[in-house]
Amino acid sequence: MNVEARPNLSKVQEARVGIADCDVHPNPTSLEDEVFPFLEQKWRDHIETYGMPQRIGFAGGTQYPKGQPRASRRDSYPPEGGPPASSLSFFREQHLDPHHVDLAVMIPLRIGQALQNMDLAVALCAAINEWQQEFWTRKEPRIKGSIVMAYENASDCVAQIEKHAHKDDFVQISMLSRTPDPLGHRKYWPIYEAAAANGLPVGVHAFGYGGNPPTGGGYPSYYIEDMMAHAQSCQSLIVSMVYEGVFDRIPDMKLIIVEGGIAWLPSLAWRLDKIWEKNRMELSHVKRPPSEIIREHVWLTSQPIEEPDKRQQLVETIDWIGWENVLYASDYPHWDFDDPKRALPVQLTQEQRDGFFRNNAFKAYGLS
Amino acid sequence: MAEKHVVAKVADFADTDRKLVEVKGRPIVIFKLGEEWFGMLNRCPHQGGSLCAGHLISQVDSDRPGDYRLSRRGEILRCPWHGWEFDIRTGEACARPGKFRARPVGVSVLSADDTETVGDLELYDVSTEADLVVVEL
Ligand code: FES
């Protein structure tokens, strides 16, 4: 392990042992060319005729257009054309090789996990799982996939998990944070049970269309408010899962929160403990202090990492979260990408650095 | 002492407003804005994004919500990664001037007749290349 917390290009280039990047977003060149071949003809016809309505009032597109085209770094378009991160060779050249990434966990987005037409969502997710293997994980062993599922339909999710969980191609189950109901809801439990039974964590990535406004106070005016609201949704889903008793009932459940930031977790855990102690009547099914449950079951990926003016304050914050619970993520090729050489520009011990950039991830995904 | 380095021909900018060059092992991006020339270390002070791939936008000022005034078209460089904006003349970060700064470098144009004193001219055929772009670093 030789990752420099302070930028020092010459040393980073000498690194022998690579890092784990827990959030990257390869894209198909086009859905039609790469993903639709895995769909039955009836669904292709269906999409052509009716489209893919999301659980929002806007047809197509995102609720809040992003700050950069395709929410991507402007330098991430492959030279041979196509959208960012659609070319394996450029993905290697721009990200995997120079950053010494040994493990890159791909999380497909914008694929309609929660489409209004549930059968279409099921079919599309199944196709995306085939696409991940065919176009990425079988061609590049450093890349591992996430089993995506139409999570409003738990029985089909369980079928997808049973189908793919044993393969080397996949290291986690993938859900999104903005769901129609809080993630502790019992309708989602069969997914968690199947994930735990197969030894895989559930990675919940920020975004999704649940049909609810992104903030508790309604629809904000600006994209940047939508983005800030991810930390709120992630906090809500942790509260829901802890207080609804998910982790008490499913002791092997592992939850990885992706792209919601990290620094809010300590204060959330403190508040959860305080309220739990005072509301035993309502919460007697929660057997341990929430902070203890969170330390044992919840990991956070780092990006987009908070950047306090005094960077060393991040070290203190991660002390409170627990050094074993934070995983490095770049979010390549998106515009809020964190460069591994610069994501944590603070003095760290070797153990902290190794855990953050590699070992914690291998442990969370059950890899050696 | 800054030295002068010939890095390009003016003609290289016929179809582009920018070019990435290397001076003393350092990546430098040169911009041509109309008849003006600017240079910048090609490393964003935030996380090191390649400024060469950035967008040149206008300065935006506002006194209240809903009020957006654009000025100095093309003189603000927006990093291709996280969108920090820099004044192309001074390198100052627009959001927090005084705290963060991209590093500008001097760029000028010399006609071949005036370039005898410039060190690395052998790269160019001075007799045919009339105007050359020079970086001071
Ligand atoms: S690297 Fe330029 S804004 Fe972050």
Side-chain angles (χ1 to χ4, degrees), chain B:
Chain B
M1 257 293 281
E3 299 158 16
K4 292 189 168 182
H5 308 265
V6 174
V7 292
K9 295 174 268 184
V10 169
D12 295 343
F13 290 78
D15 301 320
T16 179
D17 62 352
R18 65 193 64 190
K19 189 171 170 165
L20 186 61
V21 300
E22 204 180 284
V23 179
K24 288 184 174 169
R26 271 174 262 179
I28 306 286
V29 53
I30 314 277
F31 292 101
K32 179 177 190 290
L33 248 67
E35 292 312 307
E36 285 191 282
W37 296 84
F38 300 95
M40 200 81 89
L41 183 67
N42 190 43
R43 216 176 273 142
C44 177
H46 176 226
Q47 285 196 5
S50 168
L51 293 175
C52 177
H55 229 204
L56 287 168
I57 61 170
S58 299
Q59 178 171 318
V60 189
D61 290 298
S62 174
D63 290 330
R64 59 181 184 281
D67 165 35
Y68 300 106
R69 291 185 313 272
L70 302 188
S71 61
R72 302 181 57 205
R73 192 170 176 77
E75 292 189 20
I76 304 296
L77 175 59
R78 187 166 192 247
C79 176
W81 285 12
H82 314 100
W84 280 25
E85 296 169 8
F86 302 97
D87 187 323
I88 201 165
R89 293 180 186 276
T90 62
E92 289 289 354
C94 298
R96 299 177 83 177
K99 182 153 178 80
F100 296 106
R101 193 165 178 256
R103 172 139 178 239
V105 297
V107 178
S108 54
V109 171
L110 290 180
S111 78
D113 301 340
D114 300 328
T115 52
E116 276 160 27
T117 53
V118 176
D120 39 6
L121 269 181
E122 60 275 15
L123 293 174
Y124 297 85
D125 180 353
V126 181
S127 58
T128 57
E129 309 300 345
D131 292 325
L132 300 169
V133 182
V134 175
V135 163
E136 274 187 61
L137 194 70

Side-chain angles (χ1 to χ4, degrees), chain A residues 124-317:
Chain A
L124 262 175
C125 288
I128 288 283
N129 290 332
E130 298 302 329
W131 167 79
Q132 291 184 72
Q133 298 169 77
E134 186 83 14
F135 283 81
W136 296 90
T137 58
R138 285 185 197 139
K139 291 183 175 166
E140 173 49 81
R142 287 175 289 182
I143 299 178
K144 298 293 177 196
S146 301
I147 304 173
V148 297
M149 314 158 311
Y151 43 72
E152 291 308 301
N153 188 338
S155 59
D156 279 291
C157 296
V158 173
Q160 280 295 302
I161 295 172
E162 301 296 347
K163 181 171 180 193
H164 297 297
H166 62 279
K167 300 177 183 168
D168 280 345
D169 303 84
F170 295 99
V171 293
Q172 71 176 350
I173 312 301
S174 178
M175 299 177 76
L176 297 175
S177 60
R178 289 175 179 166
T179 39
D181 289 294
L183 276 178
H185 196 289
R186 282 169 212 196
K187 70 180 181 183
Y188 301 117
W189 288 22
I191 302 173
Y192 307 147
E193 279 159 357
N198 284 282
L200 294 186
V202 175
V204 178
H205 189 288
F207 289 100
Y209 297 112
N212 305 307
T215 81
Y219 287 96
S221 300
Y222 304 116
Y223 163 52
I224 210 67
E225 293 178 89
D226 175 55
M227 210 179 151
M228 291 311 296
H230 291 308
Q232 292 174 28
S233 337
C234 291
Q235 292 180 56
S236 308
L237 76 89
I238 290 176
V239 173
S240 170
M241 291 175 85
V242 168
Y243 282 164
E244 297 267 350
V246 170
F247 301 108
D248 295 271
R249 285 285 300 276
I250 312 171
D252 293 330
M253 169 76 185
K254 295 192 271 189
L255 174 68
I256 303 179
I257 301 287
V258 185
E259 209 175 327
I262 63 170
W264 42 262
L265 188 67
S267 70
L268 179 73
W270 295 328
R271 295 182 74 80
L272 286 176
D273 280 1
K274 176 178 162 145
I275 292 165
W276 169 77
E277 271 158 6
K278 293 176 179 158
N279 291 272
R280 295 274 305 127
M281 202 163 118
E282 206 182 18
L283 296 173
S284 57
H285 56 276
V286 180
K287 302 294 181 204
R288 291 178 296 156
S291 61
E292 221 177 283
I293 296 175
I294 289 172
R295 277 253 179 163
E296 196 173 302
H297 294 273
V298 181
W299 285 262
L300 303 175
T301 65
S302 58
Q303 179 277 342
I305 200 158
E306 286 83 353
E307 299 178 11
D309 279 351
K310 291 183 187 151
R311 285 301 171 87
Q312 202 62 22
Q313 288 173 339
L314 266 180
V315 172
E316 217 166 308
T317 307

